[in-house]
């Protein structure tokens, strides 16, 4: 699935990373706990979260993720946007809640983790 | 052992906003050195967990990353409260993190086990009331 499709399916605004919209992604995860993302995520390229702080972006960067989607109408700070741009991570913001956002993407073919 | 490259950081324990900064910088530096992505990912995650721990449990400290020809050594040195029971701290899910820390997205008790998992060797040198020094090695 292209990041552009995620944007469309979630009716999301592109906060930054407009040039990454044609990037193909194959899996995603949803969490407000960065500890869990660090411990359980394998190769997911997209993180959906309702948490807003700089560690969300740094966690995504450590995990080589390419896109972070903020759910529940959360808005990233200018500092987070700057961090995301430095790490070439696209940021999307959607009004959908976590359950609905994850369900929508999953239904349209964006899978979750491949279990070890 | 031949020449090594050293990256040194002060980890600010007063300011959660900056927590993780050193790890982001290290990742950038290792990329520039052209190391394999899998190695960079392991170093990044292990160091990031350790750096966050220094901020949330130990009031900051120093972080060093030494790149040798055949290994990368991460050293995290703090003057925090120390770890009373290392075996307990190493258990998955064990955490003394506050609700405040949890609301910031950390404190699942997976950091130390994760650091061990992603490195080839991890040594914890700690004394209650004095501080903690964690040395992690990733072979190249
Ligand atoms: N640098 C440190 N100084 C003092 N205590 C620490 C340090 N790092 C870890 N700990 C202790 O070990 C526990 C487990 O650490 P960790 O596995 O990273 O989980 P978490 O950080 O989510 O609590 C912490 O809750 C804390 O009590
Ligand atoms: Mg931790």
């Amino acid at each position: 699935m292209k990041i552009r499709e995620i944007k469309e399916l979630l009716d999301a605004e592109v906060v930054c990373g407009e040039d990454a919209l044609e990037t193909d992604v194959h899996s995603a995860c949803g969490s407000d706990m960065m500890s869990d993302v660090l411990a359980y995520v394998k190769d997911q390229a997209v993180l959906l979260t309702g948490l807003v702080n700089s560690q969300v972006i740094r966690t995504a960067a450590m995990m080589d993720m390419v896109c972070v989607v903020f759910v529940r109408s959360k808005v990233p700070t200018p500092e987070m946007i700057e961090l995301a741009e430095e790490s070439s991570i696209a940021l999307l913001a959607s009004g959908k809640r976590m359950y609905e956002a994850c369900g929508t993407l999953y239904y349209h073919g964006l899978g979750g983790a491949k279990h070890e | 052992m031949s020449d090594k490259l050293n990256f040194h950081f002060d980890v600010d324990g007063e300011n959660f906003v900056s927590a993780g900064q050193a790890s982001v910088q290290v990742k950038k530096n290792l990329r520039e050195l052209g190391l394999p992505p899998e190695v960079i990912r392991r170093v990044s995650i292990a160091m990031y967990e350790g750096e966050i721990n220094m901020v949330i449990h130990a009031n900051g400290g120093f972080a060093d990353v030494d790149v040798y020809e055949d290994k990368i050594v991460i050293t995290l040195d703090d003057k925090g409260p120390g770890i009373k029971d290392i075996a307990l701290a190493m258990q998955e899910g064990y955490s003394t993190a506050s609700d405040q820390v949890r609301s910031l997205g950390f404190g699942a008790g997976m950091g130390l086990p994760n650091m061990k998992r992603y490195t080839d060797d991890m040594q914890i040198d700690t004394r209650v009331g004095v501080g903690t020094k964690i040395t992690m090695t990733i072979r190249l």
Side-chain angles (χ1 to χ4, degrees):
Chain A
M1 183 181 288
K2 293 198 187 305
I3 293 178
R4 174 182 304 285
E5 290 173 77
I6 297 178
K7 166 194 150 50
E8 283 159 10
L9 288 166
L10 300 184
D11 202 9
E13 179 201 332
V14 181
V15 179
C16 70
E18 194 73 51
D19 50 337
L21 289 181
E22 300 314 319
T23 302
D24 253 311
V25 293
H26 301 285
S27 60
C29 65
S31 182
D32 289 353
M33 274 303 268
M34 295 305 109
S35 281
D36 286 343
V37 173
L38 288 161
Y40 299 111
V41 169
K42 263 299 258 177
D43 278 315
Q44 288 87 322
V46 182
L47 169 65
L48 292 93
T49 187
L51 183 71
V52 177
N53 63 32
S54 298
Q55 284 68 35
V56 171
I57 312 299
R58 294 197 183 108
T59 301
M62 292 306 108
M63 306 300 289
D64 300 312
M65 291 172 154
V66 297
C67 176
V68 175
V69 181
F70 294 95
V71 297
R72 302 196 291 273
S73 306
K74 304 283 178 184
V75 185
T77 63
E79 204 212 349
M80 290 165 66
I81 297 171
E82 200 179 306
L83 280 171
E85 281 170 343
E86 279 169 25
S87 295
S88 306
I89 295 170
L91 299 185
L92 305 184
S94 166
K96 292 195 193 300
R97 293 185 186 179
M98 181 72 99
Y99 182 75
E100 194 189 341
C102 293
T104 302
L105 296 183
Y106 196 89
Y107 178 78
H108 284 90
L110 188 62
K114 290 174 209 82
H115 291 281
E116 278 176 64
Chain B
M1 193 55 239
S2 58
D3 293 32
K4 64 167 184 179
L5 263 172
N6 169 266
F7 305 118
H8 177 81
F9 303 90
D10 278 348
V11 177
D12 182 357
E14 301 299 316
N15 180 10
F16 183 76
V17 172
S18 62
Q21 226 168 43
S23 303
V24 170
Q25 186 58 47
V26 163
K27 181 154 199 162
K28 204 183 284 176
N29 293 350
L30 297 184
R31 274 218 182 108
E32 278 163 18
L33 290 175
L35 288 157
E38 198 43 43
V39 166
I40 297 177
R41 156 109 66 130
R42 289 169 61 205
V43 171
S44 302
I45 296 174
M47 176 168 175
Y48 187 65
E49 292 275 20
E51 185 185 354
I52 298 280
N53 276 356
M54 284 174 99
V55 177
I56 63 180
H57 303 300
N59 258 299
F62 298 115
D64 280 280
V65 177
D66 293 298
V67 184
Y68 299 83
E69 213 167 292
D70 59 344
K71 65 182 176 186
I72 294 175
V73 179
I74 307 163
T75 311
L76 304 167
D77 202 342
D78 69 58
K79 305 245 171 303
I83 303 173
K84 211 185 291 168
D85 184 341
I86 295 179
L88 185 60
M90 285 300 301
Q91 276 180 22
E92 295 194 356
Y94 176 81
S95 175
T96 58
S98 63
D99 286 346
Q100 151 77 357
V101 163
R102 259 178 265 270
S103 73
L104 294 167
F106 294 90
M110 295 300 295
L112 289 174
N114 219 15
M115 287 155 69
K116 185 160 179 63
R117 180 156 70 106
Y118 279 109
T119 57
D120 293 307
D121 183 69
M122 177 164 99
Q123 300 296 330
I124 303 179
D125 186 1
T126 184
R127 270 178 66 196
V128 173
V130 179
T132 301
K133 183 172 164 182
I134 298 184
T135 311
M136 295 177 280
T137 304
I138 285 148
R139 283 192 287 274
L140 296 176

